């Protein structure tokens, strides 16, 4: 009996050893497809599998780890009316109410406040203070965008020795986590209007926002920042279409014509600008930049229209909207980076395992 048990143990050990070698080998074969795309190579080197497309697919898959379970949970809660089956005073009830339904029992007087928590029941006269605030906001916005554009292009195109920064996802995460920290401090210190927006509705604008930011960073690998800024001018058509889809807005025909002409003009400039040729951008890389910028325009247009619809419906403040959006943005990008880190950690373990040599054979017992 002891001899039989020992033989079964040896067979089990050998089988485990085979699995231990076969599985990592298959994983390395899959990894080699991505390894063919070196960090410094671009679209024209591997036209069938562009680097940005692989990165996009990976990001969408990791976002799905959060979006799909969340969507299924919300759908199940609404279909089963689960909130009616739990204690109304319990913490679970409050969480579900805030995340899925919103606080519908808030008095209308608490909700009828403008974007920054100021009552909008009566039109306020234009005072000198408001004009100064407008000028300050305009100057601050322009300065912030100029600095942001300069720094993001510098980060994405600067070579640090033999290396170049390539992880657009990390830049999006850092942007969102810092914004979340700042707006959290602001809403803690300053009084905000009563909030009744279902939290899950911020996830729509959050997803489109991080996708537009990712496209914006990724496009800098293929086109220059001035070209990117000019291309953003063609966002008019996308904004009109998204406004019609999201909010059922109506626009006169001449606005469609103007938006279409702007889009065509910018596309021609992007593909045949001689300044880009001087920077050694090939037709393939410029075309990739155009595709990525098109994604940016679509996602960014949805973000503004969706947030505008939330403002109209729920009358929350801009800081509350920023807080809700950045909570989901930090969650999406954080999970994506975590999964990427786990993948790299496992790949290192696989390499170390393969380099450690074969497992020693277990001698058979004489029992």
């Amino acid at each position: 009996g002891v001899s039989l048990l020992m033989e079964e143990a040896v067979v089990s050990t050998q089988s485990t050893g085979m699995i231990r070698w076969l599985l990592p080998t298959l994983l390395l074969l899959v990894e080699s497809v991505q390894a063919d795309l070196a960090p410094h190579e671009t679209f024209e080197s591997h036209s069938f599998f562009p680097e940005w497309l692989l990165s996009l697919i990976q990001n969408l898959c990791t976002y799905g780890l959060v979006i799909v379970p969340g969507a299924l949970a919300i759908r199940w809660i609404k279909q089963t009316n689960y909130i009616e089956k739990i204690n109304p005073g319990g913490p679970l009830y409050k969480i579900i109410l805030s995340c899925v339904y919103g606080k519908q029992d808030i008095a209308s007087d608490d909700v009828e406040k403008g974007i920054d928590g100021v009552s909008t029941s009566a039109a306020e006269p234009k005072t000198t203070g408001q004009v100064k605030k407008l000028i300050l906001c305009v100057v601050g916005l322009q300065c912030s965008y100029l600095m942001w554009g300069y720094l993001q292009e510098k980060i994405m195109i600067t070579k640090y020795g033999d290396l170049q920064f390539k992880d657009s996802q990390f830049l999006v995460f850092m942007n969102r986590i810092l914004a979340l920290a700042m707006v959290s401090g602001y809403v803690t210190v300053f009084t905000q209007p009563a909030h009744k927006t279902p939290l899950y509705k911020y996830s729509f604008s959050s997803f489109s926002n991080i996708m537009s930011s990712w496209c914006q960073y990724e496009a800098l690998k293929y086109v220059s920042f001035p070209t990117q800024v000019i291309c953003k001018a063609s966002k008019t058509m996308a904004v009109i279409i998204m406004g019609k889809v999201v909010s059922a807005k109506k626009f006169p025909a001449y606005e469609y014509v103007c938006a279409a002409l702007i889009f065509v003009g910018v596309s021609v400039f992007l593909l045949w600008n001689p300044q880009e040729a001087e920077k050694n951008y090939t037709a393939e890389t410029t075309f990739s930049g155009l595709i990525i910028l098109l994604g940016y325009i679509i996602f960014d247009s949805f973000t503004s229209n969706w947030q505008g619809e939330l403002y109209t419906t729920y009358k929350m403040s801009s800081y509350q909207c920023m807080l809700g959006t950045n909570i989901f943005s930090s969650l999406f990008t954080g999970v994506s980076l975590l999964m990427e880190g786990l993948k790299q950690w496992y790949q290192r373990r696989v390499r170390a395992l393969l380099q450690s040599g074969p497992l020693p054979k277990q001698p058979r017992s004489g029992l």
Side-chain angles (χ1 to χ4, degrees), residues 208-235:
S208 61
N209 182 251
I210 59 178
M211 288 304 302
S212 65
S213 297
W214 181 88
C215 291
Q216 190 174 18
Y217 287 123
E218 197 71 15
L220 289 174
K221 301 176 184 179
Y222 304 93
V223 297
S224 66
F225 180 73
T227 301
Q228 187 181 96
V229 173
I230 294 176
C231 189
K232 291 178 184 178
S234 64
K235 195 171 65 174

PDB file of all heavy atoms in Angstrom, residues 208-235:
ATOM      1  N   SER A 208     -15.622  57.893 -21.151  1.00  0.00           N
ATOM      2  CA  SER A 208     -15.318  58.690 -22.344  1.00  0.00           C
ATOM      3  C   SER A 208     -14.202  59.689 -22.073  1.00  0.00           C
ATOM      4  O   SER A 208     -13.390  59.986 -22.963  1.00  0.00           O
ATOM      5  CB  SER A 208     -16.574  59.418 -22.831  1.00  0.00           C
ATOM      6  OG  SER A 208     -17.065  60.302 -21.833  1.00  0.00           O
ATOM      7  N   ASN A 209     -14.116  60.176 -20.845  1.00  0.00           N
ATOM      8  CA  ASN A 209     -13.080  61.142 -20.499  1.00  0.00           C
ATOM      9  C   ASN A 209     -11.693  60.515 -20.485  1.00  0.00           C
ATOM     10  O   ASN A 209     -10.728  61.081 -21.025  1.00  0.00           O
ATOM     11  CB  ASN A 209     -13.393  61.775 -19.142  1.00  0.00           C
ATOM     12  CG  ASN A 209     -12.387  62.832 -18.748  1.00  0.00           C
ATOM     13  OD1 ASN A 209     -11.578  62.628 -17.843  1.00  0.00           O
ATOM     14  ND2 ASN A 209     -12.429  63.971 -19.407  1.00  0.00           N
ATOM     15  N   ILE A 210     -11.561  59.342 -19.882  1.00  0.00           N
ATOM     16  CA  ILE A 210     -10.243  58.700 -19.858  1.00  0.00           C
ATOM     17  C   ILE A 210      -9.862  58.196 -21.244  1.00  0.00           C
ATOM     18  O   ILE A 210      -8.672  58.192 -21.606  1.00  0.00           O
ATOM     19  CB  ILE A 210     -10.187  57.552 -18.829  1.00  0.00           C
ATOM     20  CG1 ILE A 210     -11.225  56.474 -19.137  1.00  0.00           C
ATOM     21  CG2 ILE A 210     -10.356  58.085 -17.424  1.00  0.00           C
ATOM     22  CD1 ILE A 210     -11.172  55.290 -18.188  1.00  0.00           C
ATOM     23  N   MET A 211     -10.841  57.803 -22.050  1.00  0.00           N
ATOM     24  CA  MET A 211     -10.532  57.388 -23.408  1.00  0.00           C
ATOM     25  C   MET A 211     -10.074  58.570 -24.248  1.00  0.00           C
ATOM     26  O   MET A 211      -9.140  58.454 -25.058  1.00  0.00           O
ATOM     27  CB  MET A 211     -11.744  56.721 -24.048  1.00  0.00           C
ATOM     28  CG  MET A 211     -12.064  55.342 -23.509  1.00  0.00           C
ATOM     29  SD  MET A 211     -10.679  54.188 -23.643  1.00  0.00           S
ATOM     30  CE  MET A 211     -10.360  54.217 -25.390  1.00  0.00           C
ATOM     31  N   SER A 212     -10.718  59.713 -24.092  1.00  0.00           N
ATOM     32  CA  SER A 212     -10.290  60.893 -24.847  1.00  0.00           C
ATOM     33  C   SER A 212      -8.904  61.345 -24.405  1.00  0.00           C
ATOM     34  O   SER A 212      -8.080  61.743 -25.235  1.00  0.00           O
ATOM     35  CB  SER A 212     -11.302  62.028 -24.670  1.00  0.00           C
ATOM     36  OG  SER A 212     -11.352  62.470 -23.322  1.00  0.00           O
ATOM     37  N   SER A 213      -8.618  61.258 -23.106  1.00  0.00           N
ATOM     38  CA  SER A 213      -7.290  61.631 -22.619  1.00  0.00           C
ATOM     39  C   SER A 213      -6.234  60.665 -23.127  1.00  0.00           C
ATOM     40  O   SER A 213      -5.137  61.073 -23.527  1.00  0.00           O
ATOM     41  CB  SER A 213      -7.277  61.650 -21.086  1.00  0.00           C
ATOM     42  OG  SER A 213      -8.158  62.627 -20.583  1.00  0.00           O
ATOM     43  N   TRP A 214      -6.564  59.363 -23.127  1.00  0.00           N
ATOM     44  CA  TRP A 214      -5.613  58.371 -23.634  1.00  0.00           C
ATOM     45  C   TRP A 214      -5.326  58.622 -25.112  1.00  0.00           C
ATOM     46  O   TRP A 214      -4.171  58.573 -25.543  1.00  0.00           O
ATOM     47  CB  TRP A 214      -6.178  56.970 -23.445  1.00  0.00           C
ATOM     48  CG  TRP A 214      -5.249  55.898 -23.914  1.00  0.00           C
ATOM     49  CD1 TRP A 214      -4.264  55.279 -23.204  1.00  0.00           C
ATOM     50  CD2 TRP A 214      -5.216  55.316 -25.231  1.00  0.00           C
ATOM     51  NE1 TRP A 214      -3.620  54.349 -23.985  1.00  0.00           N
ATOM     52  CE2 TRP A 214      -4.177  54.355 -25.234  1.00  0.00           C
ATOM     53  CE3 TRP A 214      -5.955  55.512 -26.390  1.00  0.00           C
ATOM     54  CZ2 TRP A 214      -3.873  53.597 -26.359  1.00  0.00           C
ATOM     55  CZ3 TRP A 214      -5.652  54.766 -27.515  1.00  0.00           C
ATOM     56  CH2 TRP A 214      -4.629  53.824 -27.488  1.00  0.00           C
ATOM     57  N   CYS A 215      -6.363  58.889 -25.883  1.00  0.00           N
ATOM     58  CA  CYS A 215      -6.173  59.181 -27.305  1.00  0.00           C
ATOM     59  C   CYS A 215      -5.325  60.429 -27.497  1.00  0.00           C
ATOM     60  O   CYS A 215      -4.487  60.492 -28.410  1.00  0.00           O
ATOM     61  CB  CYS A 215      -7.527  59.358 -27.989  1.00  0.00           C
ATOM     62  SG  CYS A 215      -8.518  57.851 -28.131  1.00  0.00           S
ATOM     63  N   GLN A 216      -5.528  61.405 -26.637  1.00  0.00           N
ATOM     64  CA  GLN A 216      -4.777  62.649 -26.760  1.00  0.00           C
ATOM     65  C   GLN A 216      -3.294  62.418 -26.513  1.00  0.00           C
ATOM     66  O   GLN A 216      -2.440  62.914 -27.263  1.00  0.00           O
ATOM     67  CB  GLN A 216      -5.330  63.672 -25.770  1.00  0.00           C
ATOM     68  CG  GLN A 216      -4.795  65.068 -25.955  1.00  0.00           C
ATOM     69  CD  GLN A 216      -5.487  66.059 -25.043  1.00  0.00           C
ATOM     70  OE1 GLN A 216      -6.110  65.688 -24.054  1.00  0.00           O
ATOM     71  NE2 GLN A 216      -5.382  67.327 -25.360  1.00  0.00           N
ATOM     72  N   TYR A 217      -2.956  61.665 -25.480  1.00  0.00           N
ATOM     73  CA  TYR A 217      -1.555  61.357 -25.198  1.00  0.00           C
ATOM     74  C   TYR A 217      -0.963  60.451 -26.276  1.00  0.00           C
ATOM     75  O   TYR A 217       0.160  60.661 -26.724  1.00  0.00           O
ATOM     76  CB  TYR A 217      -1.423  60.675 -23.833  1.00  0.00           C
ATOM     77  CG  TYR A 217      -1.634  61.591 -22.661  1.00  0.00           C
ATOM     78  CD1 TYR A 217      -2.617  61.319 -21.714  1.00  0.00           C
ATOM     79  CD2 TYR A 217      -0.852  62.721 -22.482  1.00  0.00           C
ATOM     80  CE1 TYR A 217      -2.818  62.155 -20.626  1.00  0.00           C
ATOM     81  CE2 TYR A 217      -1.047  63.566 -21.399  1.00  0.00           C
ATOM     82  CZ  TYR A 217      -2.036  63.277 -20.470  1.00  0.00           C
ATOM     83  OH  TYR A 217      -2.240  64.104 -19.406  1.00  0.00           O
ATOM     84  N   GLU A 218      -1.719  59.449 -26.678  1.00  0.00           N
ATOM     85  CA  GLU A 218      -1.204  58.479 -27.640  1.00  0.00           C
ATOM     86  C   GLU A 218      -0.966  59.120 -29.003  1.00  0.00           C
ATOM     87  O   GLU A 218      -0.028  58.741 -29.720  1.00  0.00           O
ATOM     88  CB  GLU A 218      -2.199  57.319 -27.768  1.00  0.00           C
ATOM     89  CG  GLU A 218      -1.636  56.074 -28.405  1.00  0.00           C
ATOM     90  CD  GLU A 218      -0.650  55.336 -27.534  1.00  0.00           C
ATOM     91  OE1 GLU A 218      -0.603  55.609 -26.315  1.00  0.00           O
ATOM     92  OE2 GLU A 218       0.076  54.470 -28.066  1.00  0.00           O
ATOM     93  N   ALA A 219      -1.796  60.085 -29.358  1.00  0.00           N
ATOM     94  CA  ALA A 219      -1.651  60.726 -30.666  1.00  0.00           C
ATOM     95  C   ALA A 219      -0.344  61.496 -30.789  1.00  0.00           C
ATOM     96  O   ALA A 219       0.161  61.687 -31.900  1.00  0.00           O
ATOM     97  CB  ALA A 219      -2.838  61.666 -30.916  1.00  0.00           C
ATOM     98  N   LEU A 220       0.218  61.927 -29.663  1.00  0.00           N
ATOM     99  CA  LEU A 220       1.468  62.682 -29.701  1.00  0.00           C
ATOM    100  C   LEU A 220       2.648  61.834 -30.165  1.00  0.00           C
ATOM    101  O   LEU A 220       3.709  62.370 -30.486  1.00  0.00           O
ATOM    102  CB  LEU A 220       1.766  63.271 -28.322  1.00  0.00           C
ATOM    103  CG  LEU A 220       0.846  64.415 -27.883  1.00  0.00           C
ATOM    104  CD1 LEU A 220       1.144  64.827 -26.447  1.00  0.00           C
ATOM    105  CD2 LEU A 220       0.990  65.600 -28.816  1.00  0.00           C
ATOM    106  N   LYS A 221       2.475  60.515 -30.200  1.00  0.00           N
ATOM    107  CA  LYS A 221       3.527  59.657 -30.744  1.00  0.00           C
ATOM    108  C   LYS A 221       3.561  59.718 -32.266  1.00  0.00           C
ATOM    109  O   LYS A 221       4.537  59.286 -32.879  1.00  0.00           O
ATOM    110  CB  LYS A 221       3.301  58.206 -30.303  1.00  0.00           C
ATOM    111  CG  LYS A 221       3.291  57.998 -28.800  1.00  0.00           C
ATOM    112  CD  LYS A 221       2.955  56.559 -28.464  1.00  0.00           C
ATOM    113  CE  LYS A 221       2.841  56.336 -26.963  1.00  0.00           C
ATOM    114  NZ  LYS A 221       2.481  54.940 -26.630  1.00  0.00           N
ATOM    115  N   TYR A 222       2.500  60.250 -32.871  1.00  0.00           N
ATOM    116  CA  TYR A 222       2.366  60.220 -34.319  1.00  0.00           C
ATOM    117  C   TYR A 222       2.250  61.605 -34.944  1.00  0.00           C
ATOM    118  O   TYR A 222       2.562  61.775 -36.119  1.00  0.00           O
ATOM    119  CB  TYR A 222       1.149  59.383 -34.717  1.00  0.00           C
ATOM    120  CG  TYR A 222       1.191  57.979 -34.170  1.00  0.00           C
ATOM    121  CD1 TYR A 222       0.581  57.655 -32.963  1.00  0.00           C
ATOM    122  CD2 TYR A 222       1.859  56.967 -34.851  1.00  0.00           C
ATOM    123  CE1 TYR A 222       0.626  56.360 -32.454  1.00  0.00           C
ATOM    124  CE2 TYR A 222       1.912  55.676 -34.356  1.00  0.00           C
ATOM    125  CZ  TYR A 222       1.294  55.385 -33.159  1.00  0.00           C
ATOM    126  OH  TYR A 222       1.350  54.106 -32.654  1.00  0.00           O
ATOM    127  N   VAL A 223       1.737  62.579 -34.208  1.00  0.00           N
ATOM    128  CA  VAL A 223       1.608  63.940 -34.721  1.00  0.00           C
ATOM    129  C   VAL A 223       2.095  64.911 -33.646  1.00  0.00           C
ATOM    130  O   VAL A 223       2.183  64.565 -32.464  1.00  0.00           O
ATOM    131  CB  VAL A 223       0.143  64.264 -35.103  1.00  0.00           C
ATOM    132  CG1 VAL A 223      -0.335  63.374 -36.233  1.00  0.00           C
ATOM    133  CG2 VAL A 223      -0.779  64.137 -33.895  1.00  0.00           C
ATOM    134  N   SER A 224       2.385  66.127 -34.052  1.00  0.00           N
ATOM    135  CA  SER A 224       2.858  67.141 -33.110  1.00  0.00           C
ATOM    136  C   SER A 224       1.683  67.754 -32.363  1.00  0.00           C
ATOM    137  O   SER A 224       0.520  67.631 -32.769  1.00  0.00           O
ATOM    138  CB  SER A 224       3.626  68.231 -33.855  1.00  0.00           C
ATOM    139  OG  SER A 224       2.755  68.943 -34.716  1.00  0.00           O
ATOM    140  N   PHE A 225       1.992  68.448 -31.290  1.00  0.00           N
ATOM    141  CA  PHE A 225       0.931  69.070 -30.495  1.00  0.00           C
ATOM    142  C   PHE A 225       0.202  70.172 -31.261  1.00  0.00           C
ATOM    143  O   PHE A 225      -1.027  70.263 -31.169  1.00  0.00           O
ATOM    144  CB  PHE A 225       1.514  69.611 -29.190  1.00  0.00           C
ATOM    145  CG  PHE A 225       0.492  70.259 -28.306  1.00  0.00           C
ATOM    146  CD1 PHE A 225      -0.435  69.499 -27.616  1.00  0.00           C
ATOM    147  CD2 PHE A 225       0.433  71.642 -28.174  1.00  0.00           C
ATOM    148  CE1 PHE A 225      -1.400  70.086 -26.813  1.00  0.00           C
ATOM    149  CE2 PHE A 225      -0.510  72.240 -27.363  1.00  0.00           C
ATOM    150  CZ  PHE A 225      -1.426  71.458 -26.685  1.00  0.00           C
ATOM    151  N   PRO A 226       0.904  71.057 -32.014  1.00  0.00           N
ATOM    152  CA  PRO A 226       0.154  72.052 -32.805  1.00  0.00           C
ATOM    153  C   PRO A 226      -0.838  71.412 -33.764  1.00  0.00           C
ATOM    154  O   PRO A 226      -1.955  71.906 -33.937  1.00  0.00           O
ATOM    155  CB  PRO A 226       1.268  72.807 -33.552  1.00  0.00           C
ATOM    156  CG  PRO A 226       2.455  72.681 -32.675  1.00  0.00           C
ATOM    157  CD  PRO A 226       2.355  71.305 -32.080  1.00  0.00           C
ATOM    158  N   THR A 227      -0.439  70.317 -34.404  1.00  0.00           N
ATOM    159  CA  THR A 227      -1.368  69.615 -35.290  1.00  0.00           C
ATOM    160  C   THR A 227      -2.554  69.075 -34.502  1.00  0.00           C
ATOM    161  O   THR A 227      -3.702  69.107 -34.971  1.00  0.00           O
ATOM    162  CB  THR A 227      -0.652  68.458 -36.004  1.00  0.00           C
ATOM    163  OG1 THR A 227       0.443  68.979 -36.754  1.00  0.00           O
ATOM    164  CG2 THR A 227      -1.593  67.713 -36.925  1.00  0.00           C
ATOM    165  N   GLN A 228      -2.286  68.578 -33.314  1.00  0.00           N
ATOM    166  CA  GLN A 228      -3.362  68.055 -32.472  1.00  0.00           C
ATOM    167  C   GLN A 228      -4.348  69.150 -32.098  1.00  0.00           C
ATOM    168  O   GLN A 228      -5.565  68.935 -32.119  1.00  0.00           O
ATOM    169  CB  GLN A 228      -2.759  67.427 -31.211  1.00  0.00           C
ATOM    170  CG  GLN A 228      -3.754  66.696 -30.346  1.00  0.00           C
ATOM    171  CD  GLN A 228      -3.106  66.116 -29.105  1.00  0.00           C
ATOM    172  OE1 GLN A 228      -3.128  66.715 -28.037  1.00  0.00           O
ATOM    173  NE2 GLN A 228      -2.522  64.939 -29.248  1.00  0.00           N
ATOM    174  N   VAL A 229      -3.823  70.335 -31.781  1.00  0.00           N
ATOM    175  CA  VAL A 229      -4.696  71.453 -31.407  1.00  0.00           C
ATOM    176  C   VAL A 229      -5.570  71.873 -32.584  1.00  0.00           C
ATOM    177  O   VAL A 229      -6.776  72.121 -32.430  1.00  0.00           O
ATOM    178  CB  VAL A 229      -3.851  72.640 -30.904  1.00  0.00           C
ATOM    179  CG1 VAL A 229      -4.729  73.865 -30.679  1.00  0.00           C
ATOM    180  CG2 VAL A 229      -3.131  72.278 -29.613  1.00  0.00           C
ATOM    181  N   ILE A 230      -4.969  71.940 -33.775  1.00  0.00           N
ATOM    182  CA  ILE A 230      -5.739  72.322 -34.963  1.00  0.00           C
ATOM    183  C   ILE A 230      -6.812  71.276 -35.262  1.00  0.00           C
ATOM    184  O   ILE A 230      -7.940  71.605 -35.648  1.00  0.00           O
ATOM    185  CB  ILE A 230      -4.796  72.505 -36.158  1.00  0.00           C
ATOM    186  CG1 ILE A 230      -3.874  73.697 -35.903  1.00  0.00           C
ATOM    187  CG2 ILE A 230      -5.576  72.718 -37.447  1.00  0.00           C
ATOM    188  CD1 ILE A 230      -2.833  73.924 -36.968  1.00  0.00           C
ATOM    189  N   CYS A 231      -6.452  70.015 -35.063  1.00  0.00           N
ATOM    190  CA  CYS A 231      -7.420  68.946 -35.327  1.00  0.00           C
ATOM    191  C   CYS A 231      -8.608  69.030 -34.378  1.00  0.00           C
ATOM    192  O   CYS A 231      -9.733  68.659 -34.739  1.00  0.00           O
ATOM    193  CB  CYS A 231      -6.732  67.593 -35.205  1.00  0.00           C
ATOM    194  SG  CYS A 231      -7.750  66.204 -35.753  1.00  0.00           S
ATOM    195  N   LYS A 232      -8.378  69.525 -33.174  1.00  0.00           N
ATOM    196  CA  LYS A 232      -9.474  69.648 -32.219  1.00  0.00           C
ATOM    197  C   LYS A 232     -10.527  70.644 -32.696  1.00  0.00           C
ATOM    198  O   LYS A 232     -11.670  70.606 -32.235  1.00  0.00           O
ATOM    199  CB  LYS A 232      -8.931  70.085 -30.854  1.00  0.00           C
ATOM    200  CG  LYS A 232      -8.106  69.028 -30.152  1.00  0.00           C
ATOM    201  CD  LYS A 232      -7.574  69.563 -28.828  1.00  0.00           C
ATOM    202  CE  LYS A 232      -6.673  68.553 -28.147  1.00  0.00           C
ATOM    203  NZ  LYS A 232      -6.115  69.074 -26.878  1.00  0.00           N
ATOM    204  N   ALA A 233     -10.118  71.538 -33.605  1.00  0.00           N
ATOM    205  CA  ALA A 233     -11.081  72.509 -34.115  1.00  0.00           C
ATOM    206  C   ALA A 233     -12.194  71.841 -34.898  1.00  0.00           C
ATOM    207  O   ALA A 233     -13.278  72.411 -35.078  1.00  0.00           O
ATOM    208  CB  ALA A 233     -10.368  73.545 -34.987  1.00  0.00           C
ATOM    209  N   SER A 234     -11.951  70.623 -35.375  1.00  0.00           N
ATOM    210  CA  SER A 234     -12.971  69.902 -36.140  1.00  0.00           C
ATOM    211  C   SER A 234     -13.953  69.174 -35.243  1.00  0.00           C
ATOM    212  O   SER A 234     -14.773  68.385 -35.733  1.00  0.00           O
ATOM    213  CB  SER A 234     -12.294  68.900 -37.080  1.00  0.00           C
ATOM    214  OG  SER A 234     -11.612  67.907 -36.338  1.00  0.00           O
ATOM    215  N   LYS A 235     -13.878  69.420 -33.954  1.00  0.00           N
ATOM    216  CA  LYS A 235     -14.766  68.731 -33.011  1.00  0.00           C
ATOM    217  C   LYS A 235     -16.207  69.214 -33.119  1.00  0.00           C
ATOM    218  O   LYS A 235     -17.117  68.612 -32.529  1.00  0.00           O
ATOM    219  CB  LYS A 235     -14.240  68.947 -31.586  1.00  0.00           C
ATOM    220  CG  LYS A 235     -14.828  68.031 -30.559  1.00  0.00           C
ATOM    221  CD  LYS A 235     -14.103  68.163 -29.224  1.00  0.00           C
ATOM    222  CE  LYS A 235     -14.288  69.522 -28.608  1.00  0.00           C
ATOM    223  NZ  LYS A 235     -13.702  69.619 -27.260  1.00  0.00           N
TER     224      LYS A 235
END
